[in-house]
Amino acid sequence: MALDSHLGHKFNFTPSMSLYVECESASEIEEAFRALADGGAELMPLDNYGFSHKFGWLNDRYGVSWQLNLSN
């Protein structure tokens, strides 16, 4: 759950807080990444970055940051 205050504040969503999701298959991570990227912004496209065979980081259309990792 994410909550926001009805009071004005000087901050917004940032990549410093992200949701991390372990995906079980290539098709699952590709579908999730594509859906979350629609209207959002890719920070790290799905790729092999050495620490993971397939990893991607993005902000969705609402500014929420997601890190997706292929678990196998």
Side-chain angles (χ1 to χ4, degrees):
M1 174 177 21
L3 299 173
D4 194 10
S5 170
H6 68 282
L7 303 174
H9 48 73
K10 296 180 181 180
F11 56 88
N12 203 345
F13 286 116
T14 73
S16 65
M17 191 295 300
S18 60
L19 302 172
Y20 186 88
V21 179
E22 289 281 333
C23 299
E24 295 183 5
S25 69
S27 61
E28 180 184 23
I29 194 171
E30 290 163 7
E31 183 179 334
F33 194 87
R34 194 170 36 253
L36 290 166
D38 184 22
E42 293 184 15
L43 303 174
M44 293 175 73
L46 280 178
D47 205 351
N48 182 337
Y49 290 98
F51 59 84
S52 172
H53 178 69
K54 190 169 253 187
F55 174 86
W57 193 353
L58 62 127
N59 290 337
D60 67 19
R61 72 183 83 196
Y62 305 105
V64 177
S65 185
W66 296 82
Q67 295 184 54
L68 304 179
N69 185 55
L70 183 60
S71 61
N72 53 8

